[in-house]
Each structure stands twice: as structure tokens, then as C-alpha cells.
Amino acid sequence: MAGPGRSRAIFHGVALTAIGLLIFVPSGLCTATLGGSAAWNLIAGTDDGGMPAILIMALVFGGPFVVVGALFIRAGIRALRDE
């Protein structure tokens, strides 16, 4: 590809990757922290009865954002490879 089409493809690839990282990193860290601490409390035996609900809540509310961010990153990398 040459000319403006190539620069447009590069821009789209970089934009998709950057937006994906902006979604994926914070939501992934939050989901991993909340879900990991709940899982750790379940494994360690310090559960007071609410940890399974917290673990499920972390996956239900944070999981879709992690998946969407990962899909954006994947689409951006594919766009950069195909240019």
C-alpha cells in the first residue's frame, strides 16, 4: 500500500491499539486486584461468606471491559500488520 491509504491504515492501527490499552490496563488491573483478593481470601480460608459474590461481581463487571480492550488491541495490531 502506498500514499494516503497507508498512512490512514497506520493511524487506525495505532489509534485502535492506544484506545484498547486505555480500556484494558485500568480495567484489567482493577478486575485482577478485586478478583485476586477475593480468590486469595477464599483460598486462605479467611472468607466471611461474601467472597464468592465479590469474585463473581469482579468478573461480571470488569470482564467485559477487559475483553473489549483486548479486542481493540488485537484489531489495532492486525491493522498495523496488514498495512
Side-chain angles (χ1 to χ4, degrees):
M1 200 182 297
R6 181 170 188 236
S7 62
R8 187 176 302 141
I10 290 172
F11 174 76
H12 286 154
V14 170
L16 282 172
T17 304
I19 292 169
L21 285 170
L22 286 173
I23 296 170
F24 181 77
V25 171
S27 61
L29 287 172
C30 184
T31 302
T33 301
L34 187 62
S37 65
W40 181 263
N41 285 333
L42 281 171
I43 293 169
T46 59
D47 179 22
D48 60 353
M51 288 303 141
I54 292 174
L55 181 60
I56 291 169
M57 183 181 64
L59 295 176
V60 167
F61 288 111
F65 292 101
V66 172
V67 170
V68 167
L71 289 174
F72 267 72
I73 293 169
R74 183 175 181 219
I77 290 172
R78 280 191 167 185
L80 289 172
R81 279 192 191 154
D82 293 342
E83 60 86 17

